Amino acid sequence: MNNNKVLEVRDIWKSYDALEVLKGITFDVGENEVKVIFGPSGSGKSTLLRCINMLDPPQKGEVYLRGKNLMNPDEDLNHLRARIGFVFQHFNLFAHLKAIDNVTIGPKLVLGLSKEEAEERAYRALEHVKMESWAHQYPAQLSGGQQQRIGIARALAMEPDVILFDEPTSALDPELIGEVLQVMLDIAKEGTTMVVVTHEMGFARAVASEMIFIDEGVIVERGSPHHFFTKPESKRVQQFLHRLEVLYGQANDEEQ
């Protein structure tokens, strides 16, 4: 095992009954890397993230976190999963808990920190996402963008080895997307190791170490943002990026 690999995904296969969703996905994520996974709806991107953190274990293949195999029954899966942060599309905050308590609960219950230590960590995480002023609000009192920033703070407070983001802006109103992407850009630039499923190509262009295009459960093409925005090889990728451009405008508008 290569020690600077945080995550190694090896030949992951996943089916639901007769439907094959993932067909042999393999990639690595190194320290401080940001991998952006993109592709059409139904291509298996969210399923892949759920396989990586064993919310939905694959039928075949291996996932290694710093050399430890999450598929190995002898490993402490709960301990390994606590080191993989997850930011959900629909926030998944506890509605009956204030923002600070949503962020404190993991460090307390999972990591066994004292109330004081957990709260200190939670406040640091809230400051990180510029939400410390809303610490004592309930989710229902917050905008979608603010709720998602709490979701990111909750992942950060666990001080994980890697954070998985499952289309973190797709449930947001357009005017709230920017504040969440800004937080993600900030933590990426600080060196947070991330795997991000998204169609936000401006974000991908700014921070992706590598982009991976998935369609029908297989990796069709992979490369740097420069590769994808200047000379993608496959017809399928060209069509997909063109459609995104029509929908969202050029990914490189900010550079014109």
Side-chain angles (χ1 to χ4, degrees):
M1 292 282 134
N2 183 336
N3 289 337
N4 71 350
K5 295 274 184 270
V6 176
L7 196 64
E8 295 171 73
V9 177
R10 291 280 167 274
D11 196 27
I12 289 293
W13 292 74
K14 180 71 183 175
S15 302
Y16 297 102
D17 300 324
L19 179 68
E20 279 195 326
V21 182
L22 298 173
K23 309 168 193 171
I25 299 281
T26 295
F27 67 94
D28 295 336
V29 186
E31 201 79 66
N32 313 126
E33 281 192 334
V34 177
K35 295 277 161 138
V36 167
I37 295 171
F38 70 115
S41 287
S43 56
K45 307 180 300 292
S46 293
T47 301
L48 175 60
L49 292 191
R50 294 171 69 84
C51 286
I52 290 172
N53 85 334
M54 299 292 146
L55 271 173
D56 209 349
Q59 275 99 0
K60 202 174 116 191
E62 267 99 37
V63 178
Y64 294 92
L65 181 70
R66 296 202 187 279
K68 292 189 180 299
N69 186 356
L70 276 77
M71 299 286 282
N72 180 347
D74 296 334
E75 294 286 0
D76 180 346
L77 183 58
N78 287 336
H79 174 68
L80 290 174
R81 286 184 64 193
R83 291 164 49 195
I84 301 175
F86 204 112
V87 176
F88 297 87
Q89 188 172 347
H90 293 288
F91 327 138
N92 287 19
L93 300 179
F94 294 109
H96 65 291
L97 295 181
K98 292 175 179 173
I100 183 75
D101 300 320
N102 264 286
V103 181
T104 311
I105 195 167
K108 264 198 325 212
L109 292 185
V110 182
L111 303 181
L113 299 189
S114 70
K115 185 172 187 289
E116 290 71 29
E117 287 174 305
E119 282 190 354
E120 193 179 312
R121 242 194 220 199
Y123 270 110
R124 271 208 312 273
L126 288 172
E127 280 173 5
H128 222 124
V129 301
K130 303 181 175 56
M131 283 298 293
E132 67 275 19
S133 305
W134 287 268
H136 295 284
Q137 307 283 309
Y138 288 94
Q141 299 171 297
L142 302 171
S143 72
Q146 291 172 322
Q147 290 184 60
Q148 191 57 291
R149 281 149 66 194
I150 300 294
I152 296 171
R154 183 176 56 183
L156 288 170
M158 296 291 287
E159 296 180 2
D161 292 82
V162 59
I163 302 181
L164 312 179
F165 291 81
D166 187 11
E167 300 206 31
T169 58
S170 65
L172 298 177
D173 294 334
E175 68 271 21
L176 301 177
I177 289 172
E179 67 188 66
V180 172
L181 288 178
Q182 189 56 56
V183 165
M184 290 170 64
L185 284 166
D186 291 345
I187 65 172
K189 286 177 175 162
E190 286 161 14
T192 307
T193 306
M194 299 159 69
V195 180
V196 185
V197 169
T198 187
H199 55 230
E200 297 290 346
M201 292 296 111
F203 169 83
R205 173 183 279 269
V207 294
S209 323
E210 182 182 44
M211 295 173 66
I212 299 174
F213 181 84
I214 293 183
D215 191 21
E216 296 182 353
V218 298
I219 293 177
V220 175
E221 196 169 334
R222 57 200 302 168
S224 66
H226 181 74
H227 163 83
F228 276 107
F229 295 123
T230 55
K231 48 175 189 319
E233 286 155 21
S234 91
K235 203 90 192 124
R236 186 71 191 88
V237 177
Q238 291 165 13
Q239 288 166 344
F240 183 79
L241 286 172
H242 179 66
R243 276 223 312 281
L244 283 188
E245 245 171 56
V246 171
L247 270 176
Y248 300 104
Q250 292 278 136
N252 58 354
D253 273 353
E254 65 268 24
E255 292 186 9
Q256 300 286 298

